[in-house]
Amino acid sequence: MKFTMPKKIMGILIMALAIVAVIPTMASAHCDTMDGPVILDTKRAIEENNSSYILKWVLPEDEQEIKDAFELNMKVRVLGPDAQKLADDYLYNRLVRVHRAGEGAPFTGVKPEGTPMEEAIIAADKSIEAGNLSAFEGLIDEERMHGLEERFEKILATKDFDVNDVEAGREYVEAYVQFTHYAEGDQHEEGNANEHAEAVDHASEGQSDEQASAEESEVTHEKESVEVEKSSIWIPWSLAGLFLLTTVVAHFRRHKH
């Protein structure tokens, strides 16, 4: 017999996702898009009912959280088409949020299919598929090609892993993230930032202790502000998760009796 989700439960589930929707969005790496590798692996995990496809995208300490979210998703999906879509969207957002947090990056929502991606990212994925770096011809400076080749070698050495070997999968993900970030220019920008920091250090050698102390306090304050901003992102997600979890538990209890 086909089950139709009660309107009241649907309303609460929609409210939970509505909380998620109010989080501001902005452009970021393609791991947070519907066309990206994280979501593609999530779809494969759901299709084969195997969470190992997605556990490699999170840190070991976050593994249980994603396992629980995946099990909840598989239970809710059987309630009907509407429940299936809501459950899948919730899992997508939950996984990407945890993955981004593991990289030390803020989560700003999962971007829709067709979201424009940088040429370097497209070239990176094509290179992995083809097994060579021809897609980067004319796209990357010659001086950075050696660094790209080194990271690509690690990709080739780790990509053929057993899907159920999560640790091996994490090695590949680490290589993949380093490769794509370098392709985007993150490593180059980091180097420039370090050079800038060294220049500032040399320039401030002649400053008084009071000036140095004041600057150190200002930097500390800025870091604390960033941490507060990052932590505030978790609040709406916690509320959304609470709404969804209590709704599902209440639903199963009613049907149990």
Side-chain angles (χ1 to χ4, degrees):
M1 182 177 71
K2 185 178 179 181
F3 176 80
T4 302
M5 183 177 289
K7 291 182 178 179
K8 184 176 180 180
I9 295 179
M10 275 295 298
I12 297 176
L13 287 172
I14 291 172
M15 186 183 299
L17 288 182
I19 293 173
V20 172
V22 301
I23 303 174
T25 59
M26 64 181 70
S28 57
H30 79 317
C31 64
D32 63 358
T33 70
M34 289 298 293
D35 298 318
V38 177
I39 299 300
L40 293 179
D41 273 347
T42 308
K43 291 179 177 179
R44 194 172 294 116
I46 292 171
E47 183 180 340
E48 298 188 19
N49 193 12
N50 185 354
S51 62
S52 295
Y53 281 101
I54 58 177
L55 294 179
K56 66 177 181 286
W57 290 103
V58 300
L59 300 175
E61 56 264 37
D62 298 319
E63 186 171 312
Q64 191 58 50
E65 177 183 349
I66 297 305
K67 279 183 177 179
D68 293 343
F70 182 78
E71 290 175 8
L72 180 61
N73 169 274
M74 299 307 291
K75 290 178 181 177
V76 174
R77 294 181 96 253
V78 301
L79 299 179
D82 292 332
Q84 179 176 311
K85 185 179 187 311
L86 287 169
D88 288 353
D89 287 345
Y90 181 76
L91 181 59
Y92 296 156
N93 282 274
R94 186 75 170 268
L95 176 61
V96 173
R97 172 179 62 76
V98 174
H99 168 68
R100 297 279 291 168
E103 289 187 318
F107 173 63
T108 56
V110 176
K111 312 305 182 296
E113 292 180 1
T115 297
M117 288 188 288
E118 292 186 17
E119 284 185 274
I121 287 295
I122 297 173
D125 286 340
K126 285 182 177 179
S127 295
I128 295 172
E129 185 178 349
N132 60 65
L133 292 172
S134 60
F136 280 98
E137 291 181 8
L139 193 61
I140 189 171
D141 296 336
E142 190 64 33
E143 61 183 22
R144 299 185 61 237
M145 201 63 191
H146 178 66
L148 191 70
E149 289 171 347
E150 287 184 341
R151 289 161 177 79
F152 187 62
E153 286 299 320
K154 192 170 182 181
I155 285 279
L156 297 180
T158 57
K159 72 171 188 173
D160 296 321
F161 59 90
D162 182 344
V163 67
N164 294 309
D165 187 344
V166 178
E167 286 307 314
R170 287 195 179 111
E171 287 184 20
Y172 170 73
V173 167
E174 181 182 359
Y176 177 82
V177 170
Q178 290 178 0
F179 176 62
T180 54
H181 283 192
Y182 187 86
E184 288 180 286
D186 289 359
Q187 185 72 22
H188 184 60
E189 290 172 6
E190 182 181 339
N192 288 341
N194 290 336
E195 289 175 7
H196 175 70
E198 290 175 4
V200 171
D201 287 340
H202 288 305
S204 62
E205 284 178 354
Q207 291 181 333
S208 67
D209 290 341
E210 288 184 4
Q211 288 175 311
S213 178
E215 289 183 356
E216 184 177 350
S217 298
E218 184 177 350
V219 170
T220 300
H221 176 70
E222 288 178 357
K223 287 182 178 179
E224 290 176 349
S225 298
V226 170
E227 290 303 318
V228 169
E229 182 179 349
K230 285 184 178 180
S231 64
S232 66
I233 295 174
W234 289 74
I235 296 175
W237 281 101
S238 298
L239 291 174
L242 182 61
F243 266 117
L244 181 60
L245 183 59
T246 53
T247 299
V248 172
V249 170
H251 167 75
F252 278 112
R253 280 181 179 173
R254 277 200 299 270
H255 279 267
K256 206 171 189 180
H257 296 294

